[in-house]
Amino acid sequence: MRDMTSSEKVFVIGPDQISALPPERFSVGTGEELRVVLVVLPGVSPVIPMTFDLVGEGASVRVSALYLAAGSGKVRFDVLMHHRAPHTTSTQLFNGIAGGEASTVFSGRIIIDEGTFGIDAGQENHNILVSDRARAESDPQLEIYADDVKCSHGATVGRLDEQEQFYMRSRGIPEDEARFLQLLSFASPVLQSLPDHCREAVSSRVSSAIRSLLAQ
Amino acid sequence: MNDILLEIKGLHASVEGKEILRGIDLVIRRGEIHAVMGPNGAGKSTLSAVLAGKPGYEVTSGEIVFDGKDLLELSPEERSWAGIFLSFQYPIEIPGVTITNFMKAAVDAHRKAKGEEPLSAGGFLRLMKEKMALVQMKGEFAKRDVNAGFSGGEKKRCEIFQMAMLDPVLSILDETDSGLDVDALRIVSDGVNALHTPEKSAIVITHYKRLLDYIVPDVVHVLKAGKIVATGGRELVEIIENEGYDKF
């Protein structure tokens, strides 16, 4: 058996901490495992196209993204997950929070080529709107040309759960703090997937971004 | 200090335009445990929701004075700071928020409302440990997400643990016995009884006698169709047990 080679890439995109945008194309070869974590902070309006080509047998991709949009910010993802080889797997988690008059778009396409088999592809896009004027759009597209495929996707756009809020407030947690905790818990699966060396620093930036977003 | 902790006068309340409570009068003195019993749909849970300030429950007339304050003027969090605690019939799951972080936010907010500094990390963890022991919760629960994946019994124990942490003056136990086996019922009741003092009061809402064998009420009310139709001592519990609610 070949050894898996694993690589991990983190992109934090914000007004004063721009790691460059991710490359537009990632190619993942035989036995390779690629993990990508993306965090978009409020104050920027990026368009982020990303194509993942799973070209070698057993290639695997895991993408986790958290995007916070505030003010009149606009965030757009155009993601293509292209399974070109057998036994390739991909998971995508895109969690977005929009406040103010911000708008976000997640356009995510999964293509599974003819002649491949043993494919496992999953895509989740969840959005929380924290103001009446914020907008989030989710556009998943699946193109499956093979038979032996496991493919799942889920998309939601919603507001903070009022039952949770009342539960927290009934324990004396002020409304703003309750909303903060809810958003932090929504962000948590992406923050947990950050590598150890930067998890704390990025989480703390996200946490202050959430507070400022709620103050709008 | 006024002997009366809670006074409800002529309370009418509606949910989504439908009147559920149709004129409730109730006086609870310090130290008293009151049971509110009644059939399904009588308004028991509405009463607890109105006391805790749940959004969507509209008080159309009447007043509630708690510890000298106009309760209806207060937000849910202000009611909590003032000393009201509602143990939920169906505790809410909050995935992603650990019990530790949840309780830290709650305890800090209570202390801030009293003008006190937040507890030190060590002091807070000691308090957690002490109160978890009261309802036989294992230490590892502190790291779990609030109620997420808990069994029915674990959820109710977690409610009483939270009650112990927040040290309320008036505890409202909304069908705390539902979904509990005998062992969990005993643990929960022992916890509630251990927290009871002559200054503190409780409202125990239940369908059944079972819980009242463990948490013994001073006063028993029968709530039916949004009104209190009978008030008495413990003997009422036996009458209900033997004859049901139809006779009221």
Side-chain angles (χ1 to χ4, degrees):
Chain A
M1 230 182 102
R2 261 183 300 265
D3 285 336
M4 289 282 279
T5 54
S6 178
S7 58
E8 192 164 47
K9 298 195 173 3
V10 177
F11 303 93
V12 179
I13 298 148
D16 55 344
Q17 185 183 354
I18 312 268
S19 55
L21 287 173
E24 293 193 13
R25 185 169 294 270
F26 296 86
S27 188
V28 190
T30 305
E32 285 178 358
E33 184 188 25
L34 170 68
R35 280 182 286 167
V36 175
V37 186
L38 268 142
V39 175
V40 179
L41 295 163
V44 287
S45 288
V47 175
I48 305 175
M50 285 186 291
T51 294
F52 298 88
D53 276 318
L54 295 105
V55 292
E57 185 158 358
S60 145
V61 172
R62 200 163 81 207
V63 192
S64 311
L66 174 70
Y67 48 108
L68 310 179
S72 55
K74 292 185 193 319
V75 177
R76 181 181 177 99
F77 284 98
D78 288 292
V79 179
L80 170 58
M81 189 66 66
H82 197 161
H83 290 260
R84 296 170 179 271
H87 296 297
T88 48
T89 60
S90 65
T91 57
Q92 303 178 51
L93 175 67
F94 283 80
N95 277 359
I97 300 172
E101 296 173 355
S103 63
T104 65
V105 178
F106 171 78
S107 170
R109 214 165 138 206
I110 298 175
I111 303 179
I112 299 174
D113 279 359
E114 198 178 344
T116 61
F117 50 88
I119 308 295
D120 195 341
Q123 180 197 75
E124 297 281 328
N125 174 228
H126 301 292
N127 296 279
I128 292 188
L129 305 178
V130 292
S131 81
D132 291 338
R133 286 160 304 161
R135 293 282 172 268
E137 197 182 310
S138 185
D139 182 19
Q141 306 141 60
L142 309 178
E143 296 177 30
I144 303 173
Y145 303 103
D147 294 328
D148 179 14
V149 167
K150 252 173 72 185
C151 190
S152 65
H153 74 100
T156 57
V157 178
R159 295 180 185 279
L160 290 170
D161 186 288
E162 289 180 6
Q163 303 279 351
E164 286 182 5
Q165 261 168 44
F166 173 61
Y167 189 66
M168 291 196 259
R169 295 176 72 191
S170 77
R171 272 52 178 148
I173 299 174
E175 189 172 7
D176 281 353
E177 192 65 20
R179 289 155 61 86
F180 170 73
L181 286 174
Q182 286 178 297
L183 289 176
L184 204 58
S185 80
F186 179 72
S188 156
V190 177
L191 301 178
Q192 289 310 314
S193 66
L194 284 161
D196 291 343
H197 69 88
C198 65
R199 187 180 305 128
E200 207 167 308
V202 176
S203 299
S204 122
R205 288 186 58 96
V206 165
S207 155
S208 25
I210 290 174
R211 285 205 190 273
S212 65
L213 200 141
L214 284 173
Q216 282 190 348
Chain B
M1 191 158 71
N2 192 335
D3 182 37
I4 294 176
L5 180 62
L6 180 79
E7 185 166 15
I8 302 177
K9 291 184 225 167
L11 182 71
H12 288 249
S14 301
V15 183
E16 289 169 357
K18 187 172 174 231
E19 185 167 65
I20 309 286
L21 300 181
R22 304 156 188 256
I24 303 261
D25 294 284
L26 182 66
V27 173
I28 296 181
R29 293 171 202 285
R30 290 176 201 276
E32 287 178 347
I33 296 180
H34 286 230
V36 174
M37 302 184 74
N40 274 326
K44 302 190 298 296
S45 286
T46 299
L47 178 61
S48 65
V50 167
L51 288 170
K54 186 171 183 178
Y57 289 73
E58 193 197 351
V59 173
T60 49
S61 66
E63 60 176 312
I64 306 177
V65 180
F66 173 71
D67 208 3
K69 301 178 193 75
D70 179 356
L71 190 70
L72 299 175
E73 288 293 306
L74 304 181
S75 67
E77 52 269 42
E78 288 169 331
R79 295 180 197 207
S80 174
W81 304 337
I84 286 186
F85 180 88
L86 170 62
S87 171
F88 280 49
Q89 182 179 1
Y90 302 108
I92 307 294
E93 300 190 5
I94 314 178
V97 178
T98 63
I99 290 183
T100 301
N101 289 344
F102 175 67
M103 284 322 299
K104 184 80 169 71
V107 169
D108 284 353
H110 273 253
R111 293 180 67 90
K112 192 175 171 192
K114 292 195 192 89
E116 295 169 358
E117 293 293 313
L119 278 178
S120 68
F124 176 73
L125 291 175
R126 273 193 298 279
L127 185 68
M128 288 266 292
K129 206 170 164 189
E130 178 195 325
K131 303 304 184 190
M132 288 173 84
L134 185 75
V135 285
Q136 299 181 24
M137 276 168 82
K138 293 202 180 90
E140 66 219 40
F141 270 87
K143 292 183 197 135
R144 290 181 58 180
D145 291 349
V146 178
N147 293 323
F150 285 25
S151 71
E154 287 168 345
K155 282 182 182 168
K156 296 300 171 80
R157 274 150 67 182
C158 187
E159 293 292 283
I160 305 307
F161 154 71
Q162 293 172 40
M163 174 177 150
M165 289 292 288
L166 299 176
D167 195 25
V169 190
L170 175 66
S171 303
I172 305 158
L173 308 178
D174 189 2
E175 305 211 11
T176 294
D177 49 337
S178 67
L180 289 191
D181 60 27
V182 178
D183 292 331
L185 186 67
R186 184 173 292 116
I187 292 169
V188 161
S189 311
D190 286 351
V192 171
N193 289 331
L195 296 170
H196 189 60
T197 71
E199 294 78 40
K200 293 181 177 178
S201 307
I203 301 175
V204 181
I205 293 174
T206 182
H207 279 283
Y208 305 110
K209 172 173 178 287
R210 199 170 72 134
L211 179 64
L212 303 177
D213 290 338
Y214 294 94
I215 304 172
V216 179
D218 302 295
V219 183
V220 177
H221 308 275
V222 179
L223 185 66
K224 207 173 160 182
K227 284 184 179 172
I228 290 177
V229 293
T231 294
R234 280 163 225 170
E235 70 284 353
L236 262 184
V237 180
E238 295 299 332
I239 296 174
I240 292 165
E241 183 75 0
N242 295 327
E243 303 177 37
Y245 291 109
D246 285 347
K247 71 168 282 158
F248 295 98

